[in-house]
Amino acid sequence: MKAHKIAVIPGDGIGVEVVAEGLKVLEAAGQKAGLSFDFEQFPWGCGYWLQHGAAMPPDAIDILGHFDAIYLGAVGLPGRVHESVGVREVVLAIRSGFDQFANVRPVQPVAGCPWYVSHRQPEEIDFVVIREATEGFYCNIGGRYEPGAAEVSEVTPMRPAFARSTEIALQTGVFSEFGCRRVIRYAFELARRRDGKKRVTSTTKSNALTHAMGMWDEIFEQVAAEYPDCEHEWFHVDALAMRFITNPERFDVVVASNLFGDILTDLSAVLVGGLGFAAGGNLSETGPSMFEPPHGSAPDIAGKGIANPIAAILTAAFMLECLDEPDAAGTIRRAVAAVVEAGEVLTPDAGGSATTRQVGDAILAAL
Ligand code: IPM
Ligand code: MG
């Protein structure tokens, strides 16, 4: 029997609740498909930070490097631990630690999911957002400076407000030629593989951010020339955000830099029924990839047992596809589709009154 070694980081809040359902479904789908999993759970995150003063042990990346994939719930205990802790010490540390450059977020609604765009039907929408996940504004370069600092003197003449400020903050985005080219190429390769509309849409803002997005645009055109069989187009991120809602049917593969992709994929989650249905993964070419739903730890509903586990379960299906187990992934997708379409066992975000566990059980039964 084939075994996959999966590192599981449930994290905090609803991360723990939804990952439990994801694991249950993975086990069952694996059994049906004749494969087994070697799951190892790691209690890392903000709860761990409260006890140990660090959200992961210092050798966490070495440990995770021995696994085929990482399955993560969500991290964050806002109010108790500063939000940047879980983000920087776990999520971003793993994404950059394994060079997980391609954050893949499919926008493929399941029939029967909550529907917010009445001018379109779920079956008309089928695209995927590829978000660069290691660089841009997430490099966290910059600082906060007081008047008199060299950084402040340099910018002071630029705006009246700068001269009147008690503090100036600089946040520098870093965009590399290699990093942009790699993720844009990934998007074109995917458009080819999907063999659908074969259209890659680039997200830019080079009218205002001339340096970084100017380079991005040039690289996009260069890469597009390598794929004459694919259509290519671009929009500034603001206009693209509007089109995600007005014309979601026109997209096939959308590629974006890190921050733009972050914002766009919460928006695109609306097109699949909300964050409770949105899946994703951060893919690496050199180490394990990490599969995590785009949603957070949802402190407002954590502990109530009503979080929607479908995002985490579809994320598990996506993990199986990336592990080259399409049959097991397919059984999960069909089971989710059956439960959502029946509409009887859904959590409150989807108009139902079921608990997280009941939804997991219903999907298990549908398997
Ligand atoms: C996401 C999240 C993260 C991000 C946070 C938790 C750092 O919003 O995965 O979309 O911004 O990438
Ligand atoms: Mg986000």
Side-chain angles (χ1 to χ4, degrees), residues 87 91-92 95 103 105 131 138 258 262 265-266 292-294:
V87 164
V91 179
L92 302 187
R95 287 182 191 167
N103 177 288
R105 293 185 166 172
R131 161 189 177 192
Y138 282 64
N258 209 343
D262 176 45
T265 52
D266 265 34
E292 48 161 344

Side-chain angles (χ1 to χ4, degrees), residues 236-313:
H236 292 308
V237 62
D238 47 350
L240 185 57
M242 185 188 74
R243 281 183 174 77
F244 264 29
I245 302 303
T246 57
N247 297 95
E249 77 291 347
R250 73 188 314 285
F251 299 110
D252 180 20
V253 178
V254 176
V255 63
S257 54
N258 209 343
L259 180 59
F260 291 166
D262 176 45
I263 299 166
L264 283 178
T265 52
D266 265 34
L267 182 59
S268 63
V270 169
L271 299 169
V272 297
L275 280 169
F277 292 85
N282 309 289
L283 309 189
S284 169
E285 281 173 344
T286 49
S289 297
M290 174 164 68
F291 299 85
E292 48 161 344
H295 69 63
S297 59
D300 53 329
I301 57 163
K304 295 186 180 162
I306 54 164
N308 190 343
I310 291 178
I313 292 169

Side-chain angles (χ1 to χ4, degrees), residues 49-67:
W49 184 88
L50 285 171
Q51 289 181 324
H52 300 91
M56 299 200 296
D59 56 348
I61 295 294
D62 291 338
I63 295 171
L64 294 174
H66 297 289
F67 289 83

